[in-house]
Amino acid sequence: MPTAQEAYEELAHRERERHLLASSAAVLSWDERTYMPSRGAALRADQLALLARLVHERLTDPRVGELLDILQDSDLARGDTPQAANIRAWRHDYRRAVRLPKKLVEELARATTLGQQAWQEARQRADFALFRPHLEKIVRLKREEAQALHEQGSLYDALLDEYEPGMTVEQLTRVLGELRRQLVPLLQHILASRRGCPQILQRHYPVDRQEEIGRQVATAIGFDFSAGRLDRTVHPFCSGIGPGDVRLTTRYHPRHFGQAFFGVLHEAGHGLYEQGLSAEAFGTPIGQACSLGIHESQSRLWENFVGRSRPFWEYFYPAVREAFPEALGTVALDEFLLAVNYVERSLIRVEADEVTYNLHILLRFELEQALLTQDLPVADLPAAWNHILYDLLELRPENDAAGCLQDIHWSAGLFGYFPTYTLGNLYAAQFMEKAHADIPSLKDHIRHGRFEPLLDWLREHIHRHGRRYLPGELCRRITGRELSAEPFLRYLRSKYAELYGLGHA
């Protein structure tokens, strides 16, 4: 029998090889959503299904269980060390994986690859019927997955655990309910002010110059293009292939400045996290992101808390106005600030403002729970979407593309993913409060284009830890408090009171 140290080293080697396979699949997935010809979908589905099976087989190999048993009661598994954290995370991942049949893993990989291609066509044609049979199959498979993983609580908890370990439906329902209660009156107060001109961002913005300014802002905040790239896609994403290879994507519209600019900031925030993970720890939990909620906190922090702030635009607006003189030559900074922070009821989640965004998440959270429990047949999804959307935002989409087909997530099988967007907003607000307390001159740094102090703070407090702590514990260690909606609500009230002249909103 190997010693604990030998068992640890063997397991670390196995896990690194498994992550090399997973990173190969990530390259294929990135290519599928950027450059792959449409007729390559069937082959790509088979390729990704094979890789998914190989990755799953390596994770569920009985030898992994044997090595974990050797490590379980060893000194290496005790205390707050990187080795102990790796062992805890490996055991968590192994226990989840061994509950999933190989056939189900492979079938899900194939179904979601084909589903994403079908979703793209259905979205382009605004026709849910083209996507419906694929979604029905994906929902059935995700239900099987949840049933296989379920231990306690709701079925949805089992899927949520993959993205945000330690979080439950009960906690989310409470947080989202509190946000809804406080955001709706704030929204009404802001809308009554009738300030701002969003049409400023809907003038002509040549795409080539948008692309150039996007690379410029990503570089300014610290994204390393010698270890990454920026490409075009239908639905923006960031793919952390591995050390030295982080792929950002965005989409451009010649009459919508904010779509690409803030999309790049958002994905670059994800990219900075990926580039801040330990390259030496690749293949171990310490070299992986803590959770999707923490990951989203990084993108939201750069996109909104920095990228829509006055200090940021005091620094960056001259460069943007110079790049687009026809659109912005006569627009004052205050006018532009109101435009990039304009609040309105809108149909599209990725274009929603900070005040309404979480209401879009509440919609999806309710719907995917109902799909999973079979309380909502897939065929009834468009009608249910439209009903809840009207209840939350008093809007009705003109077609399915602006409604239930607007997001890629369900076609990719990402049930339990959407709530992490709201969790990211909450974490970001709490982290930024602490960053401002630790760096009293942070606003001045940003005002002068010095983003290194904030990035260094994030590297030190978040990035370098990887999965050393569960997200809730990481939040407590950084801020000294449990995750709360209050910092986010304080941020919104203060910011929009100033922008819209609302007094104590």
Side-chain angles (χ1 to χ4, degrees):
M1 177 181 291
T3 64
Q5 185 61 42
E6 290 169 338
Y8 182 88
E9 291 173 0
E10 180 181 342
L11 190 52
H13 176 73
R14 284 172 166 269
E15 282 295 288
R16 188 176 190 280
E17 288 194 335
R18 184 172 71 87
H19 278 81
L20 287 172
L21 278 173
S23 70
S24 300
V27 175
L28 290 175
S29 295
W30 167 84
D31 175 71
E32 175 202 344
R33 294 168 61 183
T34 51
Y35 296 109
M36 187 192 79
S38 59
R39 289 178 60 185
L43 175 62
R44 187 55 46 87
D46 288 342
Q47 291 170 324
L48 288 171
L50 172 60
L51 285 169
R53 176 169 61 80
L54 292 175
V55 169
H56 184 70
E57 285 176 352
R58 283 178 174 263
L59 178 56
T60 57
D61 188 325
R63 179 61 175 167
V64 174
E66 293 170 7
L67 295 170
L68 285 169
D69 287 341
I70 294 170
L71 291 168
Q72 183 174 5
D73 297 320
S74 72
D75 290 342
L76 290 176
R78 299 189 181 97
D80 181 22
T81 67
Q83 292 89 344
N86 283 335
I87 292 167
R88 286 192 294 271
W90 279 332
R91 180 165 292 281
H92 170 271
D93 296 346
Y94 179 75
R95 290 181 69 248
R96 280 183 63 90
V98 294
R99 292 190 175 99
L100 295 178
K102 294 178 185 177
K103 182 180 178 182
L104 175 59
V105 172
E106 193 169 356
E107 196 173 357
L108 261 171
R110 182 176 289 107
T112 53
T113 301
L114 295 174
Q116 288 174 76
Q117 293 295 316
W119 164 81
Q120 188 165 325
E121 181 182 0
R123 187 174 183 272
Q124 289 170 348
R125 298 189 182 187
D127 186 357
F128 179 74
L130 296 174
F131 179 51
R132 173 183 162 184
H134 293 272
L135 183 58
E136 286 174 337
K137 183 172 185 178
I138 291 168
V139 168
R140 175 178 61 79
L141 293 173
K142 295 302 290 187
R143 190 178 301 118
E144 290 180 25
E145 179 183 331
Q147 290 167 342
L149 295 172
H150 180 253
E151 291 185 274
Q152 59 184 6
S154 74
L155 277 180
Y156 193 81
D157 285 345
L159 299 183
L160 183 62
D161 181 69
E162 179 178 353
Y163 307 113
E164 199 68 17
M167 185 58 62
T168 66
V169 168
E170 182 180 0
Q171 291 172 281
L172 277 173
T173 300
R174 184 170 62 252
V175 169
L176 286 171
E178 181 63 22
L179 284 175
R180 181 177 183 175
R181 282 190 292 275
Q182 298 204 41
L183 289 178
V184 170
L186 176 61
L187 173 61
Q188 292 170 342
H189 201 178
I190 292 171
L191 293 178
S193 74
R194 301 182 182 277
R195 293 184 68 179
C197 179
Q199 289 76 23
I200 289 172
L201 304 184
Q202 297 163 15
R203 297 170 180 173
H204 181 58
Y205 293 89
V207 166
D208 59 338
R209 278 180 265 168
Q210 284 194 56
E211 193 164 13
E212 181 181 341
I213 208 75
R215 288 181 63 88
Q216 186 177 334
V217 72
T219 300
I221 67 173
F223 185 78
D224 181 2
F225 276 99
S226 71
R229 54 183 293 134
L230 174 62
D231 295 275
R232 302 185 187 193
T233 190
V234 175
H235 191 101
F237 65 97
C238 168
S239 184
I241 308 298
D245 191 354
V246 177
R247 316 283 178 96
L248 311 181
T249 66
T250 194
R251 59 187 176 197
Y252 300 95
H253 192 296
R255 300 193 70 84
H256 197 320
F257 170 79
Q259 178 174 282
F261 185 87
F262 291 106
V264 169
L265 265 178
H266 181 98
E267 301 307 337
H270 283 303
L272 289 173
Y273 191 5
E274 291 292 324
Q275 291 183 341
L277 297 172
S278 170
E280 293 75 18
F282 174 72
T284 72
I286 293 295
Q288 300 161 25
C290 177
S291 73
L292 280 186
I294 298 297
H295 222 311
E296 188 66 15
S297 77
Q298 303 306 281
S299 59
R300 288 285 161 185
L301 186 149
W302 288 104
E303 176 194 359
N304 292 330
F305 291 79
V306 174
R308 295 182 193 270
S309 71
R310 177 177 289 275
F312 175 86
W313 285 109
E314 287 176 353
Y315 168 72
F316 215 79
Y317 188 52
V320 171
R321 184 158 54 181
E322 183 179 350
F324 305 104
E326 302 89 348
L328 299 174
T330 61
V331 177
L333 173 61
D334 284 349
E335 292 179 274
F336 186 78
L337 270 174
L338 276 171
V340 299
N341 288 288
Y342 190 75
V343 174
E344 63 180 338
R345 297 183 177 96
S346 61
L347 293 169
I348 308 300
R349 174 186 64 85
V350 296
E351 297 170 9
D353 56 79
E354 293 179 271
V355 177
T356 61
Y357 184 89
N358 294 297
L359 299 177
H360 288 269
I361 300 306
L362 181 60
L363 162 71
R364 290 152 176 80
F365 178 56
E366 291 185 11
L367 288 173
E368 59 184 24
Q369 286 185 83
L371 288 169
L372 193 66
T373 59
Q374 297 181 283
D375 291 334
L376 175 64
V378 170
D380 295 340
L381 177 61
W385 177 290
N386 296 349
H387 175 76
I388 298 176
L389 179 68
Y390 189 81
D391 184 49
L392 289 171
L393 291 168
E394 299 180 15
L395 295 173
R396 288 192 176 91
E398 61 183 17
N399 56 44
D400 293 337
C404 64
L405 287 175
Q406 67 180 267
D407 296 301
I408 196 173
H409 299 62
W410 290 336
S411 71
L414 302 179
F415 285 75
Y417 192 117
F418 277 118
T420 64
Y421 289 126
T422 286
L423 291 172
N425 286 327
L426 303 186
Y427 286 129
Q430 205 153 321
F431 293 156
M432 278 300 280
E433 277 196 352
K434 179 60 174 170
H436 279 290
D438 289 350
I439 313 171
S441 57
L442 182 54
K443 286 184 179 179
D444 284 334
H445 284 305
I446 293 172
R447 186 174 288 114
H448 292 94
R450 297 192 296 265
F451 300 103
E452 296 90 346
L454 177 57
L455 181 56
D456 289 345
W457 188 92
L458 295 170
R459 295 270 199 252
E460 172 67 21
H461 289 86
I462 299 169
H463 301 178
R464 72 182 180 92
H465 292 300
R467 291 175 65 190
R468 187 166 185 166
Y469 309 110
L470 289 176
E473 183 181 359
L474 181 66
C475 181
R476 287 192 298 274
R477 284 177 173 272
I478 295 171
T479 69
R481 294 174 294 159
E482 300 286 341
L483 179 66
S484 165
E486 271 308 308
F488 179 66
L489 290 166
R490 276 197 298 272
Y491 158 76
L492 290 182
R493 293 189 196 105
S494 173
K495 175 177 181 175
Y496 287 94
E498 179 183 348
L499 281 169
Y500 284 85
L502 300 179
H504 296 289

